[in-house]
Amino acid sequence: MPRETVFEHSIDHVEVLAPDGSVDSELDPELSEDDLLEMYWTMKRSRRLDERAIALQRRGELGTYAPATGQEAAQVGSAHALADEDWMVTSFRESPAYLARETPPHMLLWYAMGMEEGAATPRESRNMPPSIPVGSQALHGAGLGWAQEIADESAASLVYFGDGATSEGDVYEATNLAGVFDAHTVFLCQNNQYAISVPRAQQTRAETLAQKAVAAGIEGVQVDGNDVLGTYAVVRDALESARDGNPVFVEALTYRRSLHTTSDDPSVYRKEEEEDEWETRDPIARFETYLRDRGVLDDDRISDVEASVEDELREEIRLANEGREAVDPEEMFDYVFEAKFPELERQRAAFRGENDGR
Amino acid sequence: MADKQRLVEAVRNTLFEEMQRDEGVVVYGQDVGRNGGVFRATQGLIDEYPNRVYDAPVAEAGIVGLGVGLAAYGFTPVPEIEFSGFMLQAFHQIQQHVARLRSRTRGELNCPMTIRAPYGGGIHALEHHSESFEAGYAHTPGLKVVVPSTPADAKGLLTTAIRDPDPVVFFEPTRLYRAFREEIPDGDHTVPLGEADVVQEGEDVTVVAWGAMRHRALDAAEDVDASVEVIDPRSIVPFDTETVLESIRKTGRCVVVHEAPKTGGMAAEIIARINDRALYYLETPVQRVTGYDVPYPLFAREDEYVPDEDRIRRGIERALSG
Ligand SMILES: Cc1ncc(C[n+]2csc(CCOP(=O)(O)OP(=O)(O)O)c2C)c(N)n1
C-alpha cells in the first residue's frame, strides 16, 4: 500500500496595522473613535503603571512584579474584544488586560504588595484571579468555556498564557479537552519570545505555537501581537467562534521589552541589538502613528491622556498604600473555609494570644 | 585551604565537583543554563560542561519524567525545579515512578536522581513559592528527603545525595541561600543522610528544627532561662529518630518546629515516634510550633505565619512548664 498524506494543516498569520502605521483596509475591524481612544488610553496607563511599579519595587514598597511593557497591544486588543459576560482567565503578567476590564490599578498594586486583597476581583466582573503556576490556568479557562457550553450561554472565556506555558502538560490538556467538550474558550498565547531566560526556539521545535492547536483538533491562528487592531480583530472572531462551541488557539507574536520580573536581569540572556530592534516595533508607538494619521490624536490630546494617567496613578498609589497600612494579618484565617473549623479556630485563638498555643 | 561560602555557593561548587568526578551527572531544568538558575545555583556550569547542562522547557512533569529515563539508562540526573511549589506539577512522576522504580523492578533498575528545589519562605516571593511540603514527600515511600541548614551541610549532604543510588529530594531553604558564610571542610566533604546534627547541647529541653527554623530555634533558645538542646535532623527521610529519643531521655521535654502547616506535618510524625519509644521519659507533652493550617499567605502576612523567635520561645516555655 502506498504511503499517502492523511492530514495537512497550515497556520495563518494576521497583521492589520503595519509597523509604519498603515492599515490593511480589508481586515480593518473599523472600531469607533471612542473604542480606539479607550484602547490607547489603557495601553498608556498600563505602560506607566509598569514604570511606577518597578520604581516602587526598587524602593522596597512592592514585591516581585512582572511588567507587561511591549505586550500592551496583545493584551488590550484581546481584552477589548471581550463582552461583559465573557470570562477572563489570566496568568501573572496581565495588568493591561485587567485594566482593560476595569480592575483599578490599586488592586494590581495590592497583589504586588503581597496582599490577597488584590486578587479578590468581584464575581460579577467575571475575571479570575492571577495564576502563578505556569499554564495551570489554561484548564480553568477550558472549564469555564465548558460550563458555558453546558449552560448554553452565548458567552466565551479568554485565557492568557505565555510561550513557555505551551510546554506544560496542563496547556495541552486544556486545548484538547476544550475541543472534546466544545468549550467556549479562546486560548491566547502571548509569545513574548522568552520564558524567563529560555528563548522561544528552545521551548519547542514547532515552527509556530499556533499549531499546538492542530493536535487538539481546534483552530489555530497567529497574529502580530504588537498590532492592537489585528489582535482585536482576530480575538473578536475567535470569541465568536468559541461562543458556538468551537475553541480557538491564538498565538500573539510579541516581545517582552522589559524584565521577566523585578528579580530578573535580561542582559544575561539576550542582546541589546535584539531589544533595540523590537523597540522599533513597539505597540504603542505604532498605534500612536496610526491615530495621529487618522487625526484622532495630536500632541495636545496625547498630553491630556498622559496627564490623566498621572493623576489616576497618583491617587491609586495612595489608595494602595492606604490599604497596605490597614492589613490585618489575622484575616489569613478568614477565608480558608466558609464555616468555622474548630482546629482552625483554636489556631486563630493562639495567634491572637488567647490560648497558650497548644 | 578551606574557604567561606554561602549556601548557594556551596551548592554550586558541589555541582561542579560532582560533574567533574562523575561523567554521568547531568544537570538540567528551567533557566539553569545561560541564566545560571534563578538563584544562580548553577551559574557557570554550562560553560564548563556544555553537553551535560541543559535549559529545559517549562515542564516539571517532563523534567522529572525524563529523569526517570535518564536514570534507567544509567545517567545520574540532577534536575532543578525552579521552586519547590512547582514540584507538585511533577508530583505524579515522583510518586508513581521516581520513588518506585527500584521496588517495581525488584532492584533491576534504580533511580539515582537528586531533585533540587528552593524551599520555604522568607524572601517575599509570589504565591506558591514559599511552601514547605516535606511531609508530602516523606509520605512517599522510596524517596529520601533532605533539608540542609548550613553551607557546610549543603555541601556534605548534596554530595552524598548525588552519589546515593536512590532518589533524593533536596530542598534548599531560600531564606538561607545568601544569609551567611561558613567555612566548608576541605576535600571530599560528605555528610551521611540520616544523621542528625546536635547543634547545641542542653539538659532541660530538646528542640528539633530544620531549614531556616534551625537558626530561629537557636536564637529563641538564647532567650529562655534553661539549657536547650537543639537538634537539626538534616534529613527528613531517613530521619535520625535515635538521636532525638536519646536527647529526650536526657531532657524529658521536647519542641518540634517547622514552617509547614500543623496538621499532618512532620512534627506529628516525630511526636508519634516519641510516643512509641520514649513516652515515659516525657515530663510534659511535646510541643509543636508550626505554620497554621491556612494556605501560605502572600507576603504581606507571611511574617505572621512563619514561626518567629517569639513563638518558638513560647513553645519552649510551654514544654518547660509543669
Ligand atoms: C509551574 C511553574 N513552573 C515554573 C514557574 C517559574 N516561572 C515563572 S514565569 C516562568 C516562565 C514563563 O514563561 P512564559 O509562559 O513564556 O510566560 P512569560 O513569563 O514570558 O509571560 C517560569 C518558569 C512557575 N511560576 N510555575
Side-chain angles (χ1 to χ4, degrees):
Chain A
M1 234 207 270
R3 190 168 161 144
E4 49 186 57
T5 303
V6 292
F7 176 75
E8 270 181 314
H9 205 94
S10 61
I11 295 291
D12 287 349
H13 175 86
V14 180
E15 182 186 275
V16 175
L17 174 61
D20 66 3
S22 62
V23 162
D24 181 323
S25 55
E26 232 172 87
L27 298 174
D28 188 350
E30 292 175 0
L31 283 158
S32 71
E33 241 172 58
D34 281 352
D35 279 325
L36 294 172
L37 278 173
E38 190 184 322
M39 294 201 299
Y40 176 74
W41 177 64
T42 311
M43 289 165 77
K44 294 283 277 191
R45 290 163 82 207
S46 149
R47 177 139 326 167
R48 191 67 186 127
L49 173 64
D50 272 3
E51 288 165 2
R52 299 296 305 268
I54 292 171
L56 288 170
Q57 193 278 341
R58 299 300 186 229
R59 294 213 305 256
E61 290 175 34
L62 291 193
T64 308
Y65 178 83
T69 296
Q71 299 176 223
E72 293 91 348
Q75 292 191 29
V76 174
S78 53
H80 197 78
L82 287 167
D84 286 347
E85 62 274 17
D86 293 333
W87 282 83
M88 181 175 90
V89 183
T90 66
S91 181
F92 46 78
R93 199 186 294 287
E94 273 71 38
S95 43
Y98 278 110
L99 293 177
R101 290 272 280 186
E102 293 171 11
T103 301
H106 71 261
M107 288 189 69
L108 305 175
L109 292 170
W110 277 345
Y111 189 73
M113 287 172 168
M115 295 161 57
E116 280 76 6
E117 287 83 343
T121 52
R123 183 184 289 249
E124 313 79 70
S125 73
R126 293 202 154 185
N127 290 342
M128 289 285 274
S131 170
I132 302 292
V134 169
S136 56
Q137 74 283 3
L139 285 160
H140 314 155
L144 283 161
W146 184 29
Q148 289 161 329
E149 170 69 12
I150 296 171
D152 201 18
E153 189 190 5
S154 178
S157 66
L158 176 63
V159 43
Y160 290 90
F161 50 87
D163 43 304
T166 62
S167 300
E168 292 277 9
D170 281 0
V171 171
Y172 170 72
E173 293 180 30
T175 52
N176 193 56
L177 287 163
V180 166
F181 290 123
D182 307 326
H184 295 198
T185 307
V186 175
F187 297 96
L188 187 87
C189 174
Q190 295 172 79
N191 174 0
N192 68 3
Q193 311 301 330
Y194 286 90
I196 309 190
S197 72
V198 177
R200 144 74 182 81
Q202 263 178 275
Q203 203 63 236
T204 173
R205 192 154 144 183
E207 216 166 300
T208 69
L209 297 177
Q211 77 203 58
K212 297 268 175 174
V214 175
I218 67 175
E219 191 195 335
V221 57
Q222 190 184 67
V223 62
D224 181 339
N226 283 13
D227 158 11
V228 70
L229 299 181
T231 309
Y232 169 80
V234 164
V235 173
R236 179 200 54 193
D237 294 351
L239 287 166
E240 269 317 299
S241 154
R243 288 186 185 104
D244 289 336
N246 298 305
V248 181
F249 187 113
V250 179
E251 173 186 10
L253 272 177
T254 179
Y255 192 74
R256 179 211 345 123
R257 293 203 36 219
S258 183
L259 317 154
H260 168 72
T261 66
T262 40
S263 37
D264 174 52
D265 172 13
S267 71
V268 178
Y269 55 82
R270 69 185 190 192
K271 298 232 157 21
E272 253 176 63
E273 299 91 82
E274 182 188 285
E275 296 176 2
D276 293 346
E277 200 207 309
W278 278 92
E279 188 174 351
T280 66
R281 294 192 242 171
D282 186 79
I284 299 185
R286 183 189 306 192
F287 195 33
E288 213 166 87
T289 310
Y290 163 75
L291 293 173
R292 276 177 189 275
D293 290 351
R294 260 190 71 152
V296 179
L297 273 189
D298 55 25
D299 286 347
D300 283 349
R301 291 197 82 166
I302 292 175
S303 342
D304 286 351
V305 170
E306 286 172 354
S308 83
V309 167
E310 288 312 306
D311 289 348
E312 183 203 16
L313 280 182
R314 193 175 315 114
E315 173 61 12
E316 290 286 322
I317 290 170
R318 193 189 62 76
L319 282 173
N321 286 329
E322 219 174 78
R324 180 173 53 180
E325 267 139 42
V327 165
D328 175 4
E330 197 185 313
E331 278 183 20
M332 73 177 138
F333 294 98
D334 280 353
Y335 302 100
V336 187
F337 297 103
E338 187 163 323
K340 292 224 190 284
F341 200 77
E343 170 57 25
L344 207 52
E345 289 306 305
R346 279 182 66 78
Q347 291 184 19
R348 183 205 287 268
F351 177 79
R352 271 201 218 123
E354 281 172 14
N355 63 20
D356 61 2
R358 269 173 231 255
Chain B
M1 200 194 81
D3 63 335
K4 287 193 157 193
Q5 294 173 16
R6 295 191 161 98
L7 195 147
V8 68
E9 292 156 356
V11 167
R12 191 189 307 142
N13 292 333
T14 307
L15 293 172
F16 268 107
E17 286 171 25
E18 289 310 292
M19 290 195 83
Q20 185 183 24
R21 184 190 57 82
D22 178 355
E23 284 189 354
V25 174
V26 177
V27 169
Y28 64 109
Q30 290 154 26
D31 303 289
V32 301
R34 191 173 315 170
N35 209 30
V38 283
F39 286 99
R40 305 290 177 258
T42 55
Q43 200 165 39
L45 217 54
I46 196 168
D47 304 322
E48 192 82 12
Y49 301 104
N51 296 319
R52 291 198 280 139
V53 177
Y54 298 93
D55 273 319
V58 193
E60 293 77 12
I63 287 168
V64 170
L66 285 179
V68 174
L70 288 173
Y73 186 91
F75 283 103
T76 300
V78 185
E80 175 180 296
I81 299 294
E82 215 148 62
F83 286 90
S84 65
F86 306 123
M87 250 161 91
L88 277 302
Q89 263 73 354
F91 195 65
H92 68 94
Q93 286 291 338
I94 296 172
Q95 201 272 348
Q96 295 165 354
H97 295 287
V98 172
R100 316 173 58 102
L101 191 64
R102 177 185 295 279
S103 45
R104 182 182 294 131
T105 62
R106 315 285 301 163
E108 290 297 320
L109 294 175
N110 67 350
C111 197
M113 188 184 325
T114 298
I115 308 174
R116 296 182 36 248
Y119 154 99
I123 58 160
H124 277 201
L126 295 166
E127 209 176 349
H128 315 295
H129 287 63
S130 304
E131 284 83 352
S132 31
F133 193 53
E134 65 271 30
Y137 297 93
H139 199 61
T140 303
L143 286 182
K144 293 180 177 170
V145 184
V146 177
V147 184
S149 319
T150 68
D153 277 356
K155 165 97 199 269
L157 292 164
L158 183 57
T159 304
T160 309
I162 293 173
R163 296 179 191 178
D164 196 293
D166 287 316
V168 179
V169 171
F170 194 84
F171 286 131
E172 297 161 10
T174 42
R175 192 206 302 267
L176 302 180
Y177 266 142
R178 297 190 159 73
F180 62 98
R181 287 196 167 84
E182 184 185 58
E183 224 161 79
I184 311 280
D186 277 333
D188 202 37
H189 173 55
T190 58
V191 172
L193 309 187
E195 212 170 86
D197 180 14
V198 181
V199 185
Q200 168 177 303
E201 292 197 26
E203 302 299 322
D204 301 332
V205 56
T206 305
V207 178
V208 182
W210 53 93
M213 293 299 103
R214 157 186 168 150
H215 303 281
R216 290 209 166 163
L218 280 172
D219 290 343
E222 278 183 22
D223 293 339
V224 287
D225 190 18
S227 160
V228 184
E229 181 142 307
V230 177
I231 297 178
D232 174 1
R234 300 193 281 202
S235 62
I236 307 299
V237 179
F239 187 87
D240 186 355
T241 314
E242 289 312 323
T243 297
V244 173
L245 296 182
E246 216 173 283
S247 173
I248 288 170
R249 289 184 194 118
K250 174 175 69 176
T251 62
R253 298 164 197 270
C254 182
V255 184
V256 186
V257 186
H258 59 62
E259 289 183 48
K262 190 173 214 169
T263 299
M266 268 312 289
E269 172 61 31
I270 295 166
I271 293 169
R273 293 186 194 192
I274 295 168
N275 282 347
D276 278 348
R277 296 178 51 206
L279 182 66
Y280 299 114
Y281 290 89
L282 287 177
E283 308 277 350
T284 54
V286 180
Q287 298 299 316
R288 280 186 281 180
V289 181
T290 69
Y292 301 107
D293 291 344
V294 308
Y296 194 103
L298 296 185
F299 63 83
R301 295 182 170 88
E302 93 170 307
D303 288 346
E304 310 284 341
Y305 170 90
V306 179
D308 58 9
E309 273 115 65
D310 195 44
R311 275 174 69 196
I312 300 171
R313 179 183 50 74
R314 280 185 278 133
I316 298 173
E317 283 165 357
R318 283 199 304 277
L320 286 167
S321 67

